[in-house]
């Protein structure tokens, strides 16, 4: 009885221990099952959300949507906002209708066969009401740039530059730009592309042409400088002639204005109160006489070849000659 009771007790203890182990196993396996269930729910929700979103399409600002049904472009153009579509049946291609900038460098020949290197900055956009036709005929924006815009700009520039000489391209740059703008607008308009603005950013010529232009400018500046110097010399000569003519006329007026009364007045104004004594002749024939005021005036009147009496010696000679 004792052994049986011991065995029974041992079995009960083993069962108790095994029960605890099983309970631990159950507790250890239950949390992973809950995580898997949560993950499955999240995946299911995302799939459902994706399916729901596939029934709608959003066209962002500055874009237009090209609607296609089984790959066929439809006349309807989707504007900005949210639109409902049928998945698999409908697909939407979005194109920007904002102003795009494209910089292009090209070379051409002028009318006088000079190499012209031009950098062009072109602003353009797709006509919003013709987005479906543009996509159908050309493709997306990258295709538009490479297939249409770049070849058109290069061809138009070559055609326009060939109408002008290198000098005219520089001096009539505004006219050249206007012709390029007009030709590009007409050419790209056939593809439903609108030109907003075009700028000839940089126009360069060959180094030989630049040197020739520089030499010509230097020669023109030298010619202008020589002409200026000649004109200056001519003006100076004219000024001298006019000055001499004026002095001659002044002398004539002075001669005409020297009347006996004026001469007498001038003599009185300058007289110091003593009558001059004049020595004439030489040796035994030396004479000394005193000049009277009337004689001074008379001597001046008898001296028609001289405008005025400059010194006493001249006055003495005039008096002796008179006597």
């Amino acid at each position: 009885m004792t052994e049986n009771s011991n065995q029974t007790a041992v079995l009960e203890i083993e069962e108790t221990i095994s029960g605890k182990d099983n309970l631990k196993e159950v507790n250890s396996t239950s949390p992973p099952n809950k995580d898997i269930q949560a993950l499955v729910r999240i995946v299911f929700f995302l799939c459902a959300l994706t399916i729901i979103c596939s029934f709608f399409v959003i066209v962002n600002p500055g874009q237009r949507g090209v609607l296609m049904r089984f790959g066929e472009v439809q006349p309807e153009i989707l504007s900005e906002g949210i639109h409902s579509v049928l998945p698999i049946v409908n697909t939407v291609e979005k194109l920007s209708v904002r102003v795009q900038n494209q910089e292009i460098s090209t070379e051409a020949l002028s009318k006088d066969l000079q190499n012209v290197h031009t950098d062009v900055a072109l602003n353009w956009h797709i006509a919003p009401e013709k987005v479906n036709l543009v996509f159908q005929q050309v493709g997306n924006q990258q295709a538009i740039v490479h297939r249409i815009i770049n070849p058109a700009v290069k061809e138009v520039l070559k055609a326009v530059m060939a109408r002008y000489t290198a000098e005219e391209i520089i001096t009539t740059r505004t006219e050249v730009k206007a012709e390029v703008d007009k030709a590009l607008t007409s050419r790209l308009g056939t593809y439903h592309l609108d030109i907003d603005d075009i700028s000839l950013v940089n126009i360069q010529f060959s180094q030989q042409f630049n040197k020739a232009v520089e030499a010509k400018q230097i020669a023109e500046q030298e010619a202008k400088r020589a002409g200026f110097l000649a004109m200056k010399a001519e003006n100076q000569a004219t000024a001298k002639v006019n000055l001499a003519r004026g002095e001659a006329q002044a002398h004539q007026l002075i001669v005409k204005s020297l009347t006996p009364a004026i001469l007498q007045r001038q003599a009185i104004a300058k007289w110091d109160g003593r009558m001059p004594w004049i020595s004439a002749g030489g040796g035994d024939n030396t004479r000394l006489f005193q000049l009277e005021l009337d004689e001074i005036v008379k001597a001046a009147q008898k001296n028609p070849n001289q405008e005025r009496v400059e010194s006493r010696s001249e006055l003495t000679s005039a008096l002796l000659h008179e006597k």
Side-chain angles (χ1 to χ4, degrees):
M1 291 295 291
T2 305
E3 291 180 357
N4 290 332
S5 61
N6 291 335
Q7 290 178 356
T8 302
V10 171
L11 292 174
E12 290 177 356
I13 292 172
E14 289 179 352
E15 289 177 358
T16 303
I17 294 172
S18 63
K20 291 181 178 180
D21 292 340
N22 291 332
L23 182 61
K24 290 181 180 179
E25 290 178 359
V26 171
N27 292 333
S28 63
T29 56
S30 58
N33 291 334
K34 291 181 179 179
D35 293 340
I36 292 173
Q37 291 177 0
L39 182 61
V40 169
R41 290 192 187 97
I42 293 174
V43 172
F44 179 78
F45 175 76
L46 292 177
C47 291
L49 183 62
T50 302
I51 293 173
I52 294 173
C53 291
S54 63
F55 285 87
F56 299 93
V57 64
I58 297 176
V59 179
N60 296 322
Q63 291 182 337
R64 294 293 185 273
V66 179
L67 181 65
M68 292 173 286
R69 181 176 299 165
F70 294 113
E72 181 183 1
V73 176
Q74 299 300 307
E76 181 183 358
I77 298 175
L78 304 182
S79 59
E80 301 172 359
I82 186 170
H83 303 271
S84 61
V85 294
L86 294 177
I88 302 175
V89 177
N90 293 331
T91 56
V92 177
E93 181 70 23
K94 301 174 185 178
L95 293 180
S96 175
V97 294
R98 291 177 175 174
V99 177
Q100 307 292 324
N101 177 264
Q102 184 68 24
E103 295 184 359
I104 305 168
S105 298
T106 183
E107 291 187 357
L109 287 177
S110 62
K111 188 175 182 180
D112 52 353
L113 303 180
Q114 295 292 334
N115 290 323
V116 185
H117 180 83
T118 310
D119 295 330
V120 180
L122 178 66
N123 293 334
W124 62 277
H125 70 274
I126 302 173
E129 67 279 2
K130 301 293 183 180
V131 170
N132 54 348
L133 297 179
V134 174
F135 182 75
Q136 186 178 37
Q137 296 174 2
V138 183
N140 57 16
Q141 182 175 337
Q142 185 177 2
I144 293 171
V145 171
H146 291 287
R147 295 179 186 176
I148 304 300
I149 293 180
N150 286 349
V153 171
K154 293 179 180 180
E155 184 64 26
V156 167
L157 278 176
K158 289 180 180 179
V160 173
M161 294 299 179
R163 302 173 191 169
Y164 297 88
T165 63
E167 184 176 358
E168 290 173 345
I169 292 174
I170 298 174
T171 56
T172 61
R173 185 167 180 166
T174 304
E175 182 179 346
V176 174
K177 175 185 175 298
E179 285 203 24
V180 173
D181 194 354
K182 181 180 178 181
L184 270 180
T185 301
S186 175
R187 180 160 182 166
L188 297 182
T190 58
Y191 299 97
H192 312 294
L193 303 177
D194 295 335
I195 302 298
D196 297 290
D197 185 35
I198 183 172
S199 300
L200 303 181
V201 179
N202 190 19
I203 299 178
Q204 294 181 345
F205 299 92
S206 63
Q207 187 175 1
Q208 293 80 3
F209 177 78
N210 292 334
K211 290 182 179 179
V213 172
E214 184 179 359
K216 181 180 179 181
Q217 293 295 326
I218 293 174
E220 290 180 354
Q221 293 297 327
E222 292 293 336
K224 290 181 180 179
R225 183 173 180 273
F228 173 76
L229 293 176
M231 185 179 298
K232 181 179 179 181
E234 182 179 357
N235 292 336
Q236 289 178 349
T238 303
K240 290 180 179 180
V241 171
N242 293 334
L243 181 61
R245 184 181 295 113
E247 290 179 352
Q249 293 177 354
H251 286 304
Q252 292 178 359
L253 292 175
I254 291 173
V255 171
K256 292 179 180 180
S257 64
L258 288 177
T259 61
I262 293 176
L263 291 174
Q264 185 176 3
R265 181 180 178 182
Q266 291 178 350
I268 293 172
K270 295 182 179 180
W271 183 41
D272 56 1
R274 294 178 298 173
M275 299 302 296
W277 290 88
I278 305 301
S279 175
D284 296 336
N285 295 326
T286 299
R287 292 187 299 165
L288 188 64
F289 56 91
Q290 186 178 24
L291 294 178
E292 297 293 340
L293 183 59
D294 293 339
E295 293 178 346
I296 295 174
V297 176
K298 186 177 180 181
Q301 294 176 348
K302 296 297 184 179
N303 188 18
N305 295 326
Q306 191 167 332
E307 295 178 1
R308 57 179 297 184
V309 178
E310 300 292 344
S311 62
R312 291 185 176 182
S313 60
E314 294 176 355
L315 182 59
T316 302
S317 299
L319 291 172
L320 293 176
H321 179 73
E322 180 187 359
K323 291 181 179 299

